[in-house]
Amino acid sequence: MTVKQLTLPELTEACVRLGVPGVGLWREPVRAYGTEAAAKLVHDAGLAVTTLCRGGFLTAIDPAARADALDDNRAAIDEAVTLGTDTLVLVSGGLPPGSRDLHGARERIADALAVLAPYAGERGVRLAIEPLHPMYASDRCVVSTLDQALDLAERFPVEQVGVVVDTYHLWWDDRAPAAIVRAGDRIHSFQLADWTTPLPAGVLNGRGLIGDGVIDLRAWRERVDAAGYQGPIEVELFNDTLWVRDGVELLTDVAERYVRHAL
Amino acid sequence: MTVKQLTLPELTEACVRLGVPGVGLWREPVRAYGTEAAAKLVHDAGLAVTTLCRGGFLTAIDPAARADALDDNRAAIDEAVTLGTDTLVLVSGGLPPGSRDLHGARERIADALAVLAPYAGERGVRLAIEPLHPMYASDRCVVSTLDQALDLAERFPVEQVGVVVDTYHLWWDDRAPAAIVRAGDRIHSFQLADWTTPLPAGVLNGRGLIGDGVIDLRAWRERVDAAGYQGPIEVELFNDTLWVRDGVELLTDVAERYVRHAL
């Protein structure tokens, strides 16, 4: 998504040229390209698929909507298998229309995980709960802190359910460093983005280019390292001002900044 | 600020007519009207000044900027005395330009409070630290949770430094209810606003009209009640779509909604 202006073949070629060893994929462009064709493209180039984004949206109350969500998440798990990644990122979902009950919504996520976690585990896929910044609590994700994500994940085996540490969502939280220690091998994904202001309307597409904002990215990388994390590090940006740039030039910039600010 | 389209005399008259017993004032319109004249206007009408907004912005590193901030806060304390309110709300300030150190910024707030708290206490004014939503952590307020505000406030006597509980800033936080219990008589102000989406660009003026959003306002009022809070309850909205409405009509609407959703 960081360089969504690139086609999958363009992305693959650019990653190989830049020495980027893996890529996190999103379901929509993968499905548009064909999941098996995307898997072959990326693997033939020698790249790993680091994660698949995203499953989740598990907070509905309506039984039909809940059944649809479970079906969609099973499909996402199957797509992860096809792509050869072991990690499906979950964005948990916001409050259903008319609801003011955050706690109830979080418990419905747990109920859904009880169904999905074994399905994922049997297929070698881990569900990674991503806490999103509290500004998304009502409409995208009722899981706002790493501790909340762990409160859910720890009800399941570590090989089935873990968490995502994303600097953009957690940087402000003075309890997140301790939660990273708590998480240990529950950390299934680590993502970087910087915090820049002013935020755009809707606050979805303002994730800052790494190095442009206020987050001490290296400090977060070191915390995750210290917790034992040895998986890939993704740079995940959604930003209208970046998406209008040349994709290969942007990816090159991101790779250079990654070395400078996080490595 | 909720009805900033009204002049102070219009506001005063409308409050009296609606049976609103007190009003929280902001420094800028008060100074424009004249602080002593504003005090006389409001008190002659039989209204209380519930709080004065706002002091704070105490995170600067530069010595001259820090001295200026202390001077400005002393002036705000003096204005609170003139207005006859016992509570000055503090918005602590964001990260200084180029800084990535949230912890350091919070400690500079404590350093400033060590100077300001006795000055306030000698004058019968309480400094009320307002935790702001984490989406403001970089540019407005590095104090993002009620627990962080209490970590600062508890270093000082309760009659000098306390906290503000504002539903807009805290509604998402599953630890806030316990922090309200912890706060007890440190709660110096209680403010209501609702959470509505999408957020506007800059995210400053999107505080939702009470009843329009996802916050269970009555539940928060009951939590604050249970902690022993007996002070005034303010409705504080900054919202471009509300500021274009007729001010008296809006204030009437707010008063009716307060009874319906919070009382």
Side-chain angles (χ1 to χ4, degrees), chain B residues 101-187:
Chain B
D101 180 11
L102 286 170
H103 177 75
R106 291 173 189 138
E107 287 306 306
R108 288 194 297 281
I109 297 165
D111 292 345
L113 289 173
V115 175
L116 295 171
Y119 185 91
E122 287 162 11
R123 286 156 183 80
V125 174
R126 308 175 304 177
L127 305 175
I129 303 169
E130 179 160 11
L132 259 57
H133 192 284
M135 68 187 175
Y136 302 116
S138 71
D139 56 359
R140 301 193 75 73
C141 185
V142 296
V143 179
S144 303
T145 65
L146 189 54
D147 277 315
Q148 287 174 341
L150 289 166
D151 290 344
L152 288 167
E154 288 171 355
R155 304 186 197 186
F156 304 95
V158 64
E159 66 274 16
Q160 293 179 8
V161 184
V163 298
V164 179
V165 173
D166 182 318
T167 57
Y168 189 76
H169 298 305
L170 304 179
W171 77 277
W172 60 271
D173 185 1
D174 60 350
R175 300 190 192 230
I180 286 174
V181 175
R182 171 184 169 192
D185 60 1
R186 294 263 175 196
I187 303 174

Side-chain angles (χ1 to χ4, degrees), chain B residues 27-50:
Chain B
R27 294 178 72 193
E28 294 72 13
V30 164
R31 291 169 111 169
Y33 190 82
T35 306
E36 293 190 11
K40 179 169 169 32
L41 174 76
V42 173
H43 292 296
D44 283 354
L47 299 178
V49 178
T50 51

